[in-house]
Amino acid sequence: MAQSRELADPSAVVNRYRAFDRWTKAGSSTRKDVFLHTHQIIKEIHPDHHVTRARPGGEMDLLGYAAAGHATAVQDNYNPSGTNDVPAHNVPGFYLDAVRAYKASPKPFDRPGGTLIDKIYFGRWLYTWQDLTFILYKCVVQNTDCGNDAMHYLLAPNDADKVDELGHHLDTDRLLLAAGDWSCTLHNEIYVYDNGDWIKDPLLWQSVQGASWDDVILESAMKDALMRDVIGFFDTRDVYQDLGLMWKRGIILHGLPGNGKTASIKALINSLEARGKEDGSKRIPSLYVKAFDSSMGGKWSIRYIFEHARKMAPCVLIFEDLDSLVLDEYRSYFLNEVDGLESNEGILMIGSTNHLSKLDPAIAKRPSRFDRKYHFKLPNEETRKRYAEYWRKKLESKPIVADKFEEEITYLVAQLTDGFSFAYIRELFVSSLLALVRGFNPDVVEEDPKEDDAGDESSSTAGDGVIVEKPAIVGEGNAGVENTEEQEKTGEKTKKSKPKRVFPVLDIPEYLQDNLLLKIIISQAKILFEEMDRDDDEQKEKEGDGDGAIRRIRVKRGLPAPRM
């Protein structure tokens, strides 16, 4: 094993000083290629070493490889003894160009206080891997786009028997291959593309842990189809090949916000990773695209995104809020990467959008780009009931709730939340639980105005127990009225206004009349209804719609008999 003279020779301190001195001079002078210039400096300072330049980052993280325990990297940036040529400096890091930075805690409530880190612009490490010793320099310079470019210089002892005909050092290449293989593998991380680069994000990975399809409450048929389409894709490579088909697929999740698109994506990411752990197969990595913005432009980002996805395949490539990502200026470039000449084999693309109509038809209506579309609608009554039951089971171990959350309440919640998205129903439960913990006072519950309006002419009573307050809506009932002269001149017609949201007033079974949790849920539901009405009013003002009075409807439906 060839050993580095740099480690044992006391004169090595001269090299440390000379390298740092030349770095500072190079950094303050006019130059065209600072990395090439630095390469020449290091070769001059270390004539008995072979020098290899390697670009650090996601695909070649030498320091991360060492931090994970596969090698050792010890900073070597000071001279405690001194020589005739170099003055003694007893402070570690004297020959280190770094900026001290504060790093906040990722979970400040659990771990208050941050840490201090060094953002190193010039540093040197003694690097050991498999009984081989190297010297590693790291240099970072500012580029023309006001960002930073970095370079590693990996030095191995000169040995003619270990240098191939192209001048590559065999030991160095072995290390770079091992570090590269490790760097390209996700280690409890998710790849996130943002600000022009792929970053391994452990926090996003943590956020999807525990996400399960059991937490995704959708209509059963749609949920089963989505799971088969996504999970089954990675089990059918042989089928695609036997049929002569390209092994790639794209799906779009669309619909109103708050109805399960993001929850489905989280469950998908976690289930694919869990499957790899269970059967020992290769884990399917997830690549999440936040934005196409970068200093190099959107087209460059799109190219870089798909290049990386092809390297990582088989993989899931996720575009959340697809309509806001693909702008007109590079729409055709995106389409070419999705369905052009280059192979996207093994890539499952998932795009989500709240506004399918805003997507270009070439994206939304062209199979072989995005083949299937799944519509996440507002939940129907049965689905709302299952979601309420999901919350009941989730809370059954909580003493403050368990004796109050009767099973029959799930039926009432389902009736009460017509028009609610899953996000609104979730907020209904969260706000109700917080009110319960804070001490909800039933004596200050707002009285239902229907009691005062029972004799109003606008109310009608039906034999089935349903009481409806008819809305006073401008323009309603004008179908037979002639347009005014002014309207005839302008061509305008009387426009009917849409009635506001209907708030059910439930007939509560006697055994639930005094249930505190149910009282809180009804109270909070009224607040959310008012909020939703305000949102509707704002939208109507934008669209020019008229206003209408709120309607209340009393619903008397059959409930299961109380448990004995």
Side-chain angles (χ1 to χ4, degrees):
M1 179 184 66
Q3 293 291 333
S4 171
R5 289 196 302 111
E6 290 282 334
L7 302 180
D9 188 350
S11 65
V13 296
V14 177
N15 290 339
R16 286 196 285 273
Y17 171 76
R18 290 173 60 199
F20 181 75
D21 182 59
R22 296 286 293 275
W23 163 258
T24 55
K25 290 179 179 177
S28 59
S29 61
T30 303
R31 61 204 183 275
K32 293 183 178 180
D33 189 338
V34 68
F35 290 139
L36 177 60
H37 186 55
T38 303
H39 192 142
Q40 297 302 320
I41 291 173
I42 292 176
K43 287 178 67 175
E44 292 175 14
I45 294 172
H46 301 276
D48 55 346
H49 279 69
H50 180 279
V51 183
T52 300
R53 273 193 283 179
R55 179 78 68 177
E59 296 181 358
M60 187 68 69
D61 188 359
L62 287 166
L63 292 175
Y65 185 60
H70 303 292
T72 60
V74 180
Q75 280 197 11
D76 182 35
N77 297 299
Y78 74 110
N79 172 25
S81 58
T83 68
N84 292 332
D85 299 317
V86 183
H89 293 288
N90 294 318
V91 180
F94 185 84
Y95 301 125
L96 174 71
D97 181 9
V99 173
R100 201 70 167 146
Y102 177 82
K103 183 178 181 181
S105 170
K107 294 185 176 180
F109 294 106
D110 297 333
R111 297 190 297 272
T115 58
L116 293 175
I117 60 173
D118 284 329
K119 292 186 176 182
I120 297 176
Y121 291 85
F122 178 87
R124 165 180 158 139
W125 291 262
L126 300 181
Y127 199 100
T128 305
W129 174 73
Q130 293 187 353
D131 296 327
L132 298 172
T133 303
F134 304 85
I135 298 171
L136 175 65
Y137 284 97
K138 177 183 178 180
C139 304
V140 179
V141 298
Q142 190 177 64
N143 59 33
T144 55
D145 298 312
C146 296
N148 290 327
D149 288 331
M151 189 66 69
H152 281 164
Y153 299 86
L154 193 59
L155 283 63
N158 275 332
D159 186 338
D161 294 334
K162 292 191 174 184
V163 178
D164 65 18
E165 64 276 8
L166 297 177
H168 303 139
H169 198 287
L170 301 181
D171 287 345
T172 300
D173 281 359
R174 285 176 52 218
L175 169 58
L176 294 178
L177 282 171
D181 288 341
W182 177 88
S183 300
C184 287
T185 303
L186 293 171
H187 308 279
N188 295 341
E189 300 153 323
I190 293 175
Y191 266 121
V192 176
Y193 186 82
D194 195 19
N195 292 324
D197 201 4
W198 284 107
I199 304 296
K200 294 179 179 179
D201 191 338
L203 295 180
L204 183 58
W205 179 86
Q206 288 179 354
S207 73
V208 304
Q209 296 311 295
S212 166
W213 286 108
D214 294 337
D215 301 322
V216 180
I217 311 298
L218 299 173
E219 293 182 14
S220 299
M222 175 180 154
K223 180 178 177 180
D224 292 343
L226 177 60
M227 292 174 63
R228 285 197 305 270
D229 211 357
V230 172
I231 307 299
F233 169 78
F234 296 101
D235 295 326
T236 54
R237 182 178 185 181
D238 293 341
V239 175
Y240 276 77
Q241 290 179 339
D242 290 344
L243 296 173
L245 303 174
M246 178 69 70
W247 185 43
K248 69 184 184 81
R249 194 153 179 80
I251 64 175
I252 290 178
L253 313 182
H254 68 97
L256 294 173
N259 282 308
K261 297 187 293 297
T262 300
S264 297
I265 290 174
K266 287 183 175 182
L268 178 156
I269 293 172
N270 200 35
S271 60
L272 288 175
E273 179 167 313
R275 189 185 69 159
K277 293 177 183 177
E278 292 169 358
D279 60 18
S281 61
K282 180 182 177 182
R283 298 182 188 180
I284 305 300
S286 298
L287 285 62
Y288 177 82
V289 179
K290 276 189 174 181
F292 291 159
D293 298 334
S294 76
S295 60
M296 303 294 288
K299 290 183 179 179
W300 182 91
S301 287
I302 292 169
R303 177 67 177 171
Y304 185 33
I305 286 168
F306 279 91
E307 282 181 349
H308 188 69
R310 290 168 190 137
K311 292 177 184 177
M312 298 296 296
C315 66
V316 180
L317 181 58
I318 300 166
F319 300 95
E320 194 159 16
D321 295 325
L322 186 60
D323 55 292
S324 63
L325 287 176
V326 185
L327 304 181
D328 290 343
E329 58 194 275
Y330 38 74
R331 181 186 65 248
S332 61
Y333 198 86
F334 176 79
L335 295 175
N336 287 333
E337 289 293 331
V338 169
D339 192 29
L341 296 177
E342 295 201 50
S343 171
N344 288 330
E345 186 170 2
I347 299 177
L348 172 65
M349 292 186 301
I350 298 179
S352 71
T353 176
N354 297 332
H355 310 285
L356 185 65
S357 61
K358 291 184 179 180
L359 280 178
D360 190 282
I363 297 175
K365 298 183 180 181
R366 166 74 183 273
S368 81
R369 289 172 178 163
F370 288 92
D371 309 282
R372 292 289 303 278
K373 295 184 285 291
Y374 290 91
H375 188 189
F376 286 68
K377 305 176 183 178
L378 288 173
N380 59 25
E381 184 172 328
E382 172 58 27
T383 308
R384 297 195 302 274
K385 192 269 176 188
R386 287 194 292 114
Y387 189 60
E389 180 63 23
Y390 163 82
W391 271 89
R392 191 182 74 84
K393 290 182 177 179
K394 183 177 180 179
L395 298 168
E396 62 185 0
S397 63
K398 309 299 181 184
I400 194 171
V401 181
D403 62 339
K404 302 177 182 66
F405 205 154
E406 298 286 347
E407 182 177 355
E408 289 77 12
I409 290 179
T410 62
Y411 292 87
L412 295 171
V413 170
Q415 296 171 18
L416 189 65
T417 54
D418 185 24
F420 277 46
S421 66
F422 285 115
Y424 264 97
I425 302 175
R426 180 185 183 278
E427 172 57 23
L428 174 61
F429 282 115
V430 170
S431 59
S432 297
L433 291 171
L434 291 176
L436 180 64
V437 171
R438 292 167 182 163
F440 178 80
N441 186 355
D443 295 331
V444 297
V445 177
E446 181 182 355
E447 292 296 327
D448 193 331
K450 69 178 177 59
E451 301 296 338
D452 298 329
D453 299 335
D456 194 282
E457 293 181 350
S458 62
S459 297
S460 64
T461 304
D464 59 359
V466 177
I467 299 176
V468 179
E469 293 185 3
K470 296 181 179 180
I473 301 175
V474 177
E476 187 168 347
N478 293 346
V481 179
E482 295 183 0
N483 294 324
T484 65
E485 182 178 348
E486 183 67 24
Q487 289 172 327
E488 289 177 352
K489 290 180 180 179
T490 59
E492 295 179 358
K493 294 184 178 180
T494 304
K495 186 176 182 179
K496 292 185 179 181
S497 297
K498 297 178 183 178
K500 286 190 177 181
R501 216 172 284 276
V502 176
F503 184 83
V505 181
L506 305 174
D507 284 323
I508 302 169
E510 184 177 353
Y511 63 94
L512 291 176
Q513 291 286 340
D514 296 324
N515 186 286
L516 181 59
L517 178 61
L518 181 57
K519 288 183 177 182
I520 296 174
I521 288 174
I522 294 173
S523 173
Q524 296 299 318
K526 290 180 179 179
I527 295 173
L528 291 174
F529 260 84
E530 291 174 1
E531 179 181 319
M532 294 162 72
D533 277 330
R534 284 195 297 270
D535 292 342
D536 286 350
D537 287 342
E538 292 175 2
Q539 185 64 31
K540 288 175 184 177
E541 287 178 7
K542 292 179 181 179
E543 297 173 355
D545 286 347
D547 191 15
I550 189 168
R551 297 189 298 173
R552 288 182 171 81
I553 179 169
R554 174 174 290 184
V555 182
K556 186 175 182 179
R557 304 186 183 182
L559 291 173
R563 292 173 294 170
M564 303 301 292

